[in-house]
Amino acid sequence: MPDVTQGNMPQTLYAHASPNSSGSISLFEESLHGSDFIAEQGPDFTSSAEDIATAKRQLRDAGFEVLEEGSTSTTINIAGPPDLYERFFRARLEARGREVIVPGAAGARRMSTFIDCPDSPLPGLIPAERSPVADVVEGVAIEEPIYPFRLPPVNASPPRPGYWHLTVPGKVAELLEADAVHQSGIRGAGVRLTMVDTGWWKDHPYFAERRLRGNVVLGPAAEEEGTDENGHGTGESANAFALAPGIDFTMVKANFKNMLGAFNAAMKQDPPPHIISNSWGGDIESPPLSAIGRAYAVSIDAAVEDGITVVFSAGNGHFGFPGQLPSVIAAGGVYIDESGKAQASNYASGFMSNIYQHRTVPDVCGLVGMQPHAMYIMLPVPPGCEIDQELSGGSGAVFPNGDETRANDGWAAFSGTSAAAPQVAGVCALLLEAYPELSPRGIRNALMSGAHDVDTGASNPTTNGGAIAGPGHDVATGWGLVSASAAMRAAQFQI
């Protein structure tokens, strides 16, 4: 939807300055298309060490806070008040309200604030040509609103409401056929799986009882590593552990106003992760990619080129981005009912990308509930967090208007493609323990080859009117529901 109302300018604006690209074309060249940001066929958007160092020094001297530079030498993460950007870059900024899907369901929309430079031809771009850094910086990409792909004394064991739902590890591991893999001794040991999300409350008794361990890293501008105020990251981590309980787990707690900075922090860990799982994104139906979208594309593609398997949620009625990127594994949704029947989730996105030619989303699917609210998997969350309160639905609320848990009991039933991404990432971890030489492409091929075909149902009607599932590959479910056991058998042929 176009801008419809004036928004409020934030006190701190997060952005990514791009030093001059080593190739002959700027990252922000207006004529570029989505396919131009695929590493193996596009221009070289990396920058020289000299230009990066000079740009960082001059930006610091001007008063900007330099948070992190992208590990791929493509962007420099900066922060500062909006008027500093206007003075230094001699550019006018506007805050505009746009309708967005939040917190994750197609029917839940609200106005959110986007910052733009009306004098720039590219959305979200601050030109650098009139600034003191014009000789080393080609432009600045403004971060846009990003949200988790979800709906909006603690017991180690979950409550048992009367409606059909799944448990972790329990039914999730069983339905994705991971139990036999676990029994063979493969549990993801030694595989570094990183999530970028709202945080991880590792003190939940669910994790302690099962000896599920990990650590939290603060992304740029994120605070309080021991907390997860929202609860989304804590809950979704249980989906990853359900498939791969032996992983070397790290949560990068993100400031959702600075998500590329958080993703780059995940990439820059030492040693680097083998897998990065992302249950979040924006909604981009048509070109052009905004300035920050281009910066995302280059950074994420570089991570995959470096051997990191990157998994993104397809979206819940969103045209999910970065899930559209051809280099990532896009996770969609399949619903299995109480009788064991599988169908495409009408909550999860399924679409043909208008940004990348011939790109269909998703690639494979995890377990996702149905409309209206996809209350499907009972997950541990910090007691009294946002999700715990929101999904309880208030006094007397019953399914599907509430998940029939208490607002402060540390449990909530939710899913969306936010759940599918860590489930798929967990299967990737099992494959990497068994076959550590697998490339991201080999992992993707094994997942697709081993997926169980789902030929009934339809995806979320918000994306392309709802794609219909049928025999073989389709837009609704990609190659089907991921299977840990079948992917393991297929992986031996991908080495």
Side-chain angles (χ1 to χ4, degrees):
M1 174 176 282
D3 300 347
V4 294
T5 185
Q6 190 72 21
N8 297 317
M9 195 71 73
Q11 291 185 339
T12 301
L13 185 62
Y14 298 98
H16 296 262
S18 177
N20 292 334
S21 295
S22 297
S24 58
I25 301 178
S26 165
L27 175 62
F28 305 123
E29 168 59 45
E30 186 179 3
S31 63
L32 294 177
H33 301 286
S35 59
D36 295 315
F37 301 98
I38 299 174
E40 61 264 26
Q41 65 188 55
D44 183 0
F45 297 117
T46 62
S47 308
S48 70
E50 181 180 1
D51 280 353
I52 292 172
T54 300
K56 288 175 65 177
R57 183 178 65 253
Q58 293 183 359
L59 289 165
R60 282 198 184 99
D61 289 347
F64 291 98
E65 182 181 4
V66 176
L67 300 171
E68 288 279 351
E69 75 267 19
S71 62
T72 57
S73 302
T74 55
T75 60
I76 300 170
N77 194 185
I78 60 175
D83 60 350
L84 175 59
Y85 288 86
E86 291 183 315
R87 293 195 308 271
F88 186 75
F89 291 100
R90 300 179 184 177
R92 181 166 54 98
L93 298 181
E94 289 184 351
R96 301 291 294 176
R98 299 181 196 170
E99 189 178 72
V100 297
I101 300 173
V102 62
R109 297 176 180 267
R110 75 174 186 197
M111 301 304 297
S112 189
T113 300
F114 289 68
I115 310 301
D116 211 348
C117 177
D119 302 322
S120 170
L122 189 67
L125 173 67
I126 302 176
E129 56 198 28
R130 294 194 295 170
S131 74
V133 291
D135 57 332
V136 291
V137 172
E138 57 196 12
V140 176
I142 305 169
E143 282 274 10
E144 297 174 347
I146 292 291
Y147 302 97
F149 280 160
R150 64 158 185 91
L151 259 181
V154 184
N155 292 323
S157 299
R160 298 182 179 276
Y163 58 88
W164 172 244
H165 67 280
L166 308 183
T167 56
V168 286
K171 274 291 183 181
V172 171
E174 175 189 330
L175 293 175
L176 297 182
E177 300 182 340
D179 287 345
V181 179
H182 296 165
Q183 291 166 11
S184 72
I186 303 296
R187 300 167 61 84
V191 178
R192 296 185 294 278
L193 190 155
T194 293
M195 290 184 67
V196 180
D197 215 298
T198 61
W200 187 48
W201 190 54
K202 61 184 178 181
D203 294 328
H204 196 293
Y206 174 86
F207 301 115
E209 183 179 83
R210 291 162 178 79
R211 298 182 180 179
L212 301 173
R213 300 183 177 91
N215 66 295
V216 179
V217 173
L218 290 177
E223 299 177 345
E224 298 186 36
E225 67 180 43
T227 64
D228 178 8
E229 299 85 351
N230 178 271
H232 186 263
T234 299
E236 299 305 354
S237 74
N239 278 295
F241 280 120
L243 276 301
I247 50 175
D248 182 353
F249 179 74
T250 297
M251 171 66 71
V252 174
K253 183 178 181 180
N255 179 330
F256 270 63
K257 296 180 180 180
N258 191 39
M259 287 304 290
L260 181 54
F263 183 87
N264 285 339
M267 290 175 60
K268 292 186 67 174
Q269 295 173 84
D270 186 15
H274 297 109
I275 303 163
I276 303 178
S277 180
N278 307 272
S279 297
W280 48 270
D283 183 26
I284 304 179
E285 181 175 1
S286 302
L289 280 179
S290 65
I292 194 65
R294 296 174 179 216
Y296 272 111
V298 172
S299 189
I300 293 168
D301 207 41
V304 177
E305 287 290 306
D306 286 343
I308 300 173
T309 298
V310 179
V311 183
F312 265 92
S313 299
N316 306 329
H318 312 74
F319 291 86
F321 183 87
Q324 291 181 54
L325 289 172
S327 60
V328 311
I329 298 171
V334 165
Y335 176 76
I336 297 181
D337 66 19
E338 194 168 2
S339 70
K341 180 182 178 181
Q343 62 179 301
S345 166
N346 63 6
Y347 190 82
S349 296
F351 60 94
M352 292 285 299
S353 172
N354 294 317
I355 305 294
Y356 301 99
Q357 190 175 17
H358 306 306
R359 173 61 164 147
T360 61
V361 177
D363 294 305
V364 292
C365 292
L367 296 164
V368 174
M370 301 288 278
Q371 293 203 37
H373 304 305
M375 294 177 182
Y376 188 40
I377 308 175
M378 190 64 69
L379 298 169
V381 296
C385 69
E386 292 177 20
I387 287 180
D388 202 5
Q389 296 184 52
E390 289 173 8
L391 297 189
S392 68
S395 177
V398 296
F399 179 84
N401 297 316
D403 68 359
E404 301 181 17
T405 67
R406 298 191 308 276
N408 62 351
D409 66 352
W411 290 93
F414 58 107
S415 61
T417 54
S418 274
Q423 292 165 13
V424 171
V427 176
C428 295
L430 299 179
L431 297 179
L432 279 174
E433 181 187 354
Y435 302 101
E437 62 271 43
L438 276 174
S439 68
R441 184 182 296 274
I443 290 173
R444 179 209 289 266
N445 289 342
L447 294 175
M448 294 189 301
S449 296
H452 290 320
D453 189 25
V454 177
D455 59 6
T456 60
S459 60
N460 196 307
T462 303
T463 47
N464 296 148
I468 305 299
H473 180 269
D474 56 60
V475 177
T477 63
W479 291 96
L481 180 65
V482 70
S483 163
S485 295
M488 191 69 67
R489 293 192 293 271
Q492 61 186 308
F493 302 107
Q494 300 298 325
I495 300 170

